[in-house]
Amino acid sequence: MEDNQNITQQKPSGALSIILGIISLICAFLSSTIFAAVIGFILAIIATVSGNNCKKQGGTIAGFVMGVIGIIFNAVGFIACVACAGALSMM
């Protein structure tokens, strides 16, 4: 018989949420177009949801934090792109 009490469970690392958070932050800093901001925003939402699921299972919260930061930066980048396009169209 196996001793089931000595089996340790690994906590999830949240690697997917961390990778998506990093990519969303790269999109935020390269958001010279609205498309980059939208793609980064979508990736940041996925990273936040994935990081939140990992956090609930006792894993790391780095992906969740990167996702939240990515959402904020991409939203600001999107608003700046729309404001610039609106300002240029009024000239």
Side-chain angles (χ1 to χ4, degrees):
M1 278 222 94
E2 290 183 25
D3 188 15
N4 290 335
Q5 293 177 349
N6 291 335
I7 297 174
T8 59
Q9 293 181 353
Q10 285 186 320
K11 293 182 179 180
S13 64
L16 175 68
S17 61
I18 293 171
I19 291 169
L20 290 176
I22 290 170
I23 294 172
S24 73
L25 289 175
I26 290 171
C27 287
F29 290 117
L30 298 177
S31 64
S32 59
T33 64
I34 291 179
F35 300 115
V38 170
I39 290 171
F41 189 75
I42 292 170
L43 292 177
I45 290 173
I46 295 171
T48 303
V49 171
S50 177
N52 192 26
N53 291 338
C54 179
K55 185 175 72 168
K56 286 180 182 177
Q57 296 174 357
T60 60
I61 63 168
F64 177 77
V65 172
M66 283 190 193
V68 170
I69 292 171
I71 287 173
I72 294 168
F73 283 176
N74 282 300
V76 169
F78 180 78
I79 292 169
C81 285
V82 170
C84 285
L88 289 175
S89 68
M90 298 193 65
M91 291 183 165

